[in-house]
Amino acid sequence: MNKHSSHADIIKRLKRASGHLDKVVEMIEKEKECLDVAQQLQAVTSALSKAKQIYVQDHIEHCIETASGKKPEEFSKQVRDLKQITKYL
C-alpha cells in the first residue's frame, strides 16, 4: 500500500492523543479532579476521532483516484474495501 499524503498529519495527531492519554493516566493516579480528568479524556477522544476521520477519508479518496483503469476484478475488490471502510466513519 502506498503511503498517503495525510499519514504524516495522522501520525502527529495520534502522538498528540497518546500524550493526552498518558496525562489522563497520570491524573487518575494522582487523584486529580474528576472534571479535569473528563476534559482530558474528551481531548483523547476528539484527537482519535479526528485522526480516524482523516485516515478513512484519505483512504476513500485514494481508492477512488486509483480505481480507474483497473481490471474488473481489481476494481470490484476496491469497491468492496471501500464499502467496508465506510463503516468506520
Side-chain angles (χ1 to χ4, degrees):
M1 182 160 125
N2 297 335
K3 186 171 181 182
H4 297 227
S5 61
S6 68
H7 283 188
D9 180 48
I10 292 166
I11 289 168
K12 183 170 56 173
R13 288 174 181 277
L14 291 174
K15 286 181 179 182
R16 189 177 313 127
S18 178
H20 285 301
L21 187 56
D22 290 343
K23 182 70 176 172
V24 169
V25 171
E26 178 184 319
M27 291 173 76
I28 292 171
E29 289 174 341
K30 292 181 178 181
E31 299 184 8
K32 296 292 182 178
E33 294 291 322
C34 293
L35 179 58
D36 295 335
V37 173
Q39 287 172 333
Q40 276 302 96
L41 282 169
Q42 181 59 40
V44 172
T45 303
S46 295
L48 289 174
S49 179
K50 187 65 177 176
K52 178 184 73 168
Q53 178 187 10
I54 292 169
Y55 186 83
V56 171
Q57 287 176 344
D58 184 59
H59 177 79
I60 290 169
E61 289 171 11
H62 186 261
C63 281
I64 290 169
E65 288 171 1
T66 62
S68 64
K70 297 268 183 171
K71 294 178 183 175
E73 61 275 0
E74 292 172 355
F75 180 78
S76 293
K77 183 190 179 317
Q78 274 193 291
V79 169
R80 283 192 307 276
D81 290 349
L82 184 61
K83 288 178 181 177
Q84 286 294 316
I85 202 165
T86 59
K87 69 183 177 183
Y88 298 111
L89 285 175

